[in-house]
Amino acid sequence: EEFDSPDELADFYVRTAEFPAGFMTEYVASELTAGKDHQELAAGFPMGKRFRSSQVMRVADVNPKHLGHHHRADGRYRIYVFADQQPVGQSEQLAELSRWLLEDEQSPVVRFTPKGADADALFDIKVIYQQDYTTMNVNDAPKVFRPNVGQFGLMDYEKVYTALEDSDIFDERQVSREGAIVIVRPDMYVANILPLSARDELASFFAPIMREQA
């Protein structure tokens, strides 16, 4: 009787659906969460809030998957690289980013991964392309997205994805067609959003929160 309309309660519940689902928390800028300087590159992934999953196509086995459903509770940071519009294997930006991540002494992968550990022991790095999966060869993706892992050093093919035609993650999550890097904390909250060329910012973000390996 306190409501003007029987629909008022239902409308309120829908408007605040994030709260009962546990997704309304928003972390402010800190060492674990960057500011919103580059939020426009991926507006659909609000900084400091829970990572909002969306469907993508896993290229290796042509299997549609929710990107966020592959976020295991293993303590690793996720680095989602949304590619520019160049076809797989032809993006110089992604090639340079891969080389930097695997080889440069300032790269968080090089600085913080324990000696002898797999390349993705601390950082689960995935790429999402814009092209149709039928035009792609997963082996053309840069090496950082195809690490050799495990006891036998087998190549992990489950880190290369592409957008779906009828459910394009770039449109659904307002990701720039020029590409973007979305860093997600182990608790699945968005920690940083950067352009593909932001090497210094990527390195400096992890420096205060990771232990450098000898």
Side-chain angles (χ1 to χ4, degrees):
E1 64 274 10
E2 297 179 6
F3 296 106
D4 296 329
S5 164
D7 297 327
E8 193 170 340
L9 179 59
D11 292 341
F12 173 80
Y13 188 86
V14 171
R15 289 197 310 272
T16 61
E18 282 186 305
F19 181 78
F23 297 152
M24 214 161 183
T25 301
E26 182 174 357
Y27 289 93
V28 298
S30 67
E31 283 191 342
L32 298 177
T33 307
K36 299 183 179 182
D37 296 349
H38 301 292
Q39 180 69 77
E40 75 283 355
L41 294 176
F45 295 120
M47 186 69 66
K49 298 194 73 173
R50 183 87 168 196
F51 179 79
R52 297 179 63 197
S53 185
S54 188
Q55 275 202 319
V56 289
M57 179 70 81
R58 191 165 61 196
V59 177
D61 59 0
V62 194
N63 201 345
K65 295 288 184 179
H66 257 279
L67 190 60
H69 292 185
H70 284 259
H71 187 123
R72 301 169 184 166
D74 54 15
R76 292 185 297 173
Y77 270 83
R78 266 64 200 180
I79 301 179
Y80 296 110
V81 178
F82 290 86
D84 55 21
Q85 299 180 66
Q86 295 298 315
V88 60
Q90 298 183 30
S91 171
E92 188 58 33
Q93 285 199 91
L94 261 62
E96 291 178 359
L97 178 62
S98 176
R99 286 193 294 268
W100 182 81
L101 284 169
L102 293 177
E103 300 173 9
D104 195 282
E105 62 181 11
Q106 295 303 314
S107 159
V109 176
V110 175
R111 290 181 66 186
F112 307 123
T113 301
K115 183 178 180 180
D118 288 338
D120 65 350
L122 293 183
F123 305 99
D124 183 18
I125 308 174
K126 292 181 167 69
V127 62
I128 304 93
Y129 286 95
Q130 302 183 36
Q131 287 74 39
D132 185 272
Y133 72 93
T134 61
T135 67
M136 300 174 60
N137 185 333
V138 66
N139 293 301
D140 291 334
K143 184 56 183 173
V144 73
F145 308 119
R146 298 181 293 109
N148 292 89
V149 298
Q151 179 181 355
F152 300 106
L154 301 179
M155 188 174 293
D156 187 344
Y157 284 103
E158 297 190 2
K159 298 179 184 291
V160 181
Y161 297 82
T162 190
L164 293 168
E165 182 179 359
D166 57 351
S167 179
D168 191 325
I169 190 172
F170 284 82
D171 290 335
E172 290 185 356
R173 297 295 176 255
Q174 303 173 59
V175 180
S176 170
R177 293 289 175 177
E178 299 305 312
I181 299 173
V182 178
I183 300 173
V184 181
R185 300 182 337 195
D187 61 0
M188 288 194 73
Y189 281 80
V190 179
N192 206 346
I193 297 173
L194 297 167
L196 295 178
S197 59
R199 310 282 189 274
D200 291 342
E201 289 175 84
L202 185 57
S204 62
F205 174 75
F206 287 108
I209 59 177
M210 292 284 182
R211 178 177 295 177
E212 189 159 357
Q213 301 298 307

